[in-house]
Amino acid sequence: MTAELVRGQNHTLPQTRLEIRVSAGTPVVAGATLGDERGTVRGVDWIAHPGSPQLPGLEVSQQAAADHRLAVDLEALPAGAHRVTVLLALPVGAGGPARFGAVPAPFVAVTGLDGAEIATFTLTGLDAESAVSALELYRRQDAWKVRAVGQGYAGGLAEMLADQGVAEATGLAGSIQEAVTRGMARSVAPPPRTQEGDRVRHATGSADHRPPTPPRAPEPPEPLTDPATTPQPHTAQGPAATGPAEGPINYAHPRRRHAAPPSPPPTPPPAQPGQAAQPVAGDATGWSMDERLYNQIWGMFEDLARAVAAYRSAVDFAESRMDQELDRSLSDPRNRIGGAGDRAREEARAKRDELTSRAREVLDRDLAQLAAEAAVVEPALPAAYAGWGNPVWHAHRVPMEIPMALRIGDLHLPERPDLRVPLLVRLPLERGIWVDSGRTASEAAALMDTDRLRRLAMETAVAHAARLLAVYPPGEFSVHVIDPAGAAAGPLAPLVGAGVLAGPPAAGSGGVSSVLAHLTRRVDLVQMAVRAGASDALPPDLDTGEQLLVVNDFPHGFDDRAVTQLRYLADEGPAVGVHLLMVADREEASAYGPVLDPLWRSLLRITPVADSHLADPWVGHAWTYEPLTVPPGSRVLEQVLAAVAAARRAAGR
């Protein structure tokens, strides 16, 4: 049962791995501090904020947003940390409201990893305050509790940090706001409300605001990582400490008047006696059907990961138990010869087989339920979440707003290869994509001809570019191509023929330099405009829509200056709407040595053929990635690109 807290009230936490969800009516900055037994913050390394979002056991958002999901693992906090306080502040110089009294009351919920609410708190009664300590997680006699704080500060972030004993609070607050300003191009615009109070999403075309992003689904901070290019996945992490509330306590609970509840998921049909309930599409929480489907897919991903982890653990236990029983039995010399030893071995193996069989029965039951759910969900997916073989693409129309995510492939585990979960990435893209064209990428790639593998890699990149063009509103997404040797003319034919590229594919060193200079200039100008709060000063010829740079055959045609510019785009581009989609073989770039290591780590690595290189952060499974392919003989790619071109003409773009 959810505890609805008022200011000053506390509640015991039943678990230590939590999620803290913040819902506000305007972009806010979310941070957290760690405190010792007296609530004192020992230094800047005990503060998580957009400029430094991760601490052991704690992770906060990297940008201002109307909705946040903060992750916390209380058992992973640094030694000596006894408090975690969640901090909210209004961005400075963003053109938004300057006090919390001018915005709807923020709503904060502490939930488990399954999304079930443990405690909630609505921060009412704020007026001139521009920063607030929302709530506090604290340890009391080896148990963790949550307290609703609601302590506001008219002096803003600096006053709030100083109140917690932070030295140089003013300078730190300034650096936090500067980090927020750099990320404002990715901030979530406040979701406007209809007369009925329902939240709706809309796209914006301003230079200093990215299209709005819906509330984050229950996913880990880094849902999938590639061990070859990324450090091992960290555990989920979360928020921080505060002082006593000021002023009289209002015990009248607001009943969440300021936040419209998510639309309820569809009700599944009643189950027959002795049978499990039938799955339905959209059986998850969310503000829209798209978000419910997104959350449902992530739920399926987590369920599959944990079901297989439980099975593998049971098998390991059975094997370990058999070994222990054999060791105990055979430690007696009398059992090493004759029938006693054979009987001991048979009994130990029989017990092992029985335990393994039981575990497999449970796994098969869980996998059957997931397969039934996948069979219902897949046909109901919108185009952005659907594979190329889904009929939804044949009736696709270019939307007027971007979806919250895009499907870039499928994932499965060896225990049930036919049970595949869509791999979704959030939009706007938060990192670039690298399509690995190397023959050492996987066993399947090693058996393939080099030229065919490179062609498949480029076809994969073209398909992803087409999907991005198809799900963005007309004129809000542009694609640039660098093909130094002109080797990708065949795979690029659908994009070139449809006329949806920003310009002809750039060839030669001159073409490479020209495209990189153009995009680097765009990043520089938008960054300067955002920092100065002068988006109206941007040159009129500057395209403020999202930009995708497709690079083929890197590093061919790239000199040292071009490599430096590419690294700059990979690091700074996503924050201002410039993204990379690289087709490259890392071995061919080995001459640059460790100089390019940050580039590879910054990109999400996928392959043109099936490969087990993605790991989840919960249990570390090696997931097999399957790229999306166009059905043989299908013209769906050309039809989709023709629809994109027609929508652009109709919009005058």
Side-chain angles (χ1 to χ4, degrees):
M1 181 176 179
T2 303
E4 298 179 334
L5 305 179
V6 296
R7 185 177 284 110
Q9 188 177 2
N10 60 42
H11 181 73
T12 301
L13 295 171
Q15 57 200 76
T16 57
R17 294 191 65 190
L18 306 164
E19 201 171 57
I20 297 179
R21 306 181 183 183
V22 178
S23 179
T26 189
V28 297
V29 181
T33 60
L34 303 180
D36 57 19
E37 291 179 331
R38 296 184 299 275
T40 302
V41 180
R42 295 183 177 177
V44 294
D45 55 345
W46 272 30
I47 303 175
H49 55 82
S52 179
Q54 296 178 10
L55 296 178
L58 180 63
E59 180 166 336
V60 303
S61 305
Q62 300 185 43
Q63 62 190 56
D67 296 274
H68 291 272
R69 299 238 178 160
L70 287 68
V72 59
D73 184 351
L74 297 173
E75 294 181 349
L77 296 177
H82 288 259
R83 294 189 186 182
V84 182
T85 305
V86 179
L87 314 176
L88 303 179
L90 294 170
V92 175
R99 60 189 184 91
F100 275 108
V103 302
F107 174 75
V108 183
V110 179
T111 75
L113 294 184
D114 58 355
E117 290 184 345
I118 299 171
T120 63
F121 176 43
T122 303
L123 285 76
T124 58
L126 299 176
D127 187 12
E129 298 89 344
S130 60
V132 60
S133 295
L135 53 79
E136 164 184 278
L137 311 179
Y138 63 98
R139 180 160 31 202
R140 182 66 52 83
Q141 296 178 349
D142 296 328
W144 284 91
K145 295 184 177 183
V146 56
R147 176 186 291 124
V149 179
Q151 171 70 56
Y153 296 86
L157 195 56
E159 181 183 356
M160 180 166 56
L161 293 173
D163 188 50
Q164 296 190 27
V166 178
E168 303 295 335
T170 301
L172 177 59
S175 65
I176 293 174
Q177 292 290 1
E178 182 180 354
V180 172
T181 301
R182 290 197 301 268
M184 280 303 292
R186 300 167 63 186
S187 67
V188 179
R193 301 164 186 263
T194 65
Q195 294 181 354
E196 294 76 18
D198 293 331
R199 294 175 185 261
V200 297
R201 295 187 293 112
H202 64 281
T204 66
S206 62
D208 59 340
H209 285 80
R210 298 279 288 278
T213 306
R216 204 161 184 79
E219 61 185 87
E222 186 64 36
L224 289 170
T225 56
D226 179 2
T229 60
T230 309
Q232 288 300 310
H234 51 270
T235 57
Q237 304 158 347
T242 184
E246 294 181 356
I249 297 176
N250 178 13
Y251 289 97
H253 194 273
R255 307 299 299 177
R256 297 176 66 173
R257 289 190 300 260
H258 301 283
S263 22
T267 302
Q272 298 297 323
Q275 295 182 356
Q278 297 298 313
V280 295
D283 187 13
T285 58
W287 301 108
S288 65
M289 187 61 174
D290 281 6
E291 186 182 356
R292 291 200 296 269
L293 286 168
Y294 177 86
N295 291 345
Q296 186 174 13
I297 288 171
W298 270 109
M300 292 166 58
F301 178 65
E302 293 181 20
D303 289 346
L304 179 55
R306 293 188 172 105
V308 172
Y311 167 71
R312 293 179 180 177
S313 177
V315 171
D316 291 342
F317 170 76
E319 294 285 349
S320 175
R321 177 175 173 174
M322 181 188 70
D323 292 340
Q324 292 174 5
E325 290 181 351
L326 289 176
D327 288 342
R328 284 196 301 268
S329 175
L330 298 180
S331 62
D332 186 349
R334 293 172 297 179
N335 292 335
R336 296 177 185 174
I337 58 175
D342 294 338
R343 285 193 300 271
R345 294 185 185 92
E346 291 176 0
E347 290 174 0
R349 289 169 182 154
K351 291 179 181 178
R352 186 270 316 269
D353 294 342
E354 181 183 3
L355 290 175
T356 303
S357 177
R358 290 179 185 176
R360 186 71 207 194
E361 289 177 3
V362 174
L363 176 65
D364 289 342
R365 180 199 63 201
D366 293 342
L367 295 183
Q369 293 176 353
L370 285 171
E373 186 175 9
V376 172
V377 169
E378 187 69 37
L381 295 178
Y385 301 176
W388 287 116
N390 193 311
V392 70
W393 279 107
H394 295 281
H396 177 66
R397 296 293 181 269
V398 178
M400 298 308 296
E401 62 178 32
I402 69 169
M404 64 185 300
L406 182 74
R407 186 174 182 170
I408 62 169
D410 293 328
L411 300 170
H412 64 81
L413 292 171
E415 282 76 5
R416 183 74 183 268
D418 62 320
L419 177 55
R420 301 186 178 185
V421 180
L423 173 57
L424 304 179
V425 294
R426 293 298 296 267
L427 293 181
L429 293 173
E430 298 176 354
R431 60 192 296 198
I433 298 176
W434 163 32
V435 184
D436 193 347
S437 61
R439 296 185 69 233
T440 60
S442 66
E443 294 181 4
L447 300 175
M448 189 172 293
D449 176 74
T450 301
D451 292 339
R452 170 155 177 73
L453 185 62
R454 289 180 176 175
R455 182 181 179 90
L456 277 178
M458 194 59 194
E459 289 175 351
T460 300
V462 168
H464 289 317
R467 293 175 73 88
L468 286 164
L469 285 166
V471 300
Y472 269 81
E476 292 191 15
F477 195 87
S478 300
V479 177
H480 308 261
V481 176
I482 289 179
D483 185 21
L492 287 171
L495 294 175
V496 175
V500 294
L501 294 179
S509 58
V512 172
S513 300
S514 175
V515 172
L516 291 177
H518 169 73
L519 293 177
T520 301
R521 171 179 175 270
R522 183 196 180 281
V523 171
D524 290 339
L525 290 175
V526 175
Q527 281 186 338
M528 288 188 291
V530 170
R531 290 169 182 165
S535 59
D536 54 348
L538 287 170
D541 63 336
L542 187 75
D543 183 2
T544 58
E546 302 281 316
Q547 311 286 314
L548 178 70
L549 174 59
V550 181
V551 178
N552 182 44
D553 252 0
F554 176 82
H556 299 299
F558 283 73
D559 55 20
D560 291 344
R561 175 180 173 80
V563 169
T564 301
Q565 289 177 315
L566 193 69
R567 285 188 54 189
Y568 175 73
L569 293 178
D571 293 337
E572 304 293 335
V576 291
V578 177
H579 314 284
L580 286 183
L581 177 54
M582 289 183 53
V583 178
D585 179 358
R586 188 171 183 174
E587 294 296 324
E588 294 184 355
S590 59
Y592 287 94
V595 173
L596 291 180
D597 286 347
L599 174 65
W600 305 121
R601 286 195 297 266
S602 69
L603 303 175
L604 172 62
R605 173 176 170 253
I606 61 176
T607 53
V609 293
D611 183 37
S612 303
H613 68 279
L614 294 175
D616 66 71
W618 299 292
V619 289
H621 291 321
W623 292 79
T624 298
Y625 167 81
E626 292 276 355
L628 297 177
T629 57
V630 177
S634 174
R635 301 282 300 173
V636 63
L637 185 62
E638 288 78 6
Q639 294 172 7
V640 168
L641 291 174
V644 171
R648 287 186 171 185
R649 290 192 296 270
R653 301 299 180 92

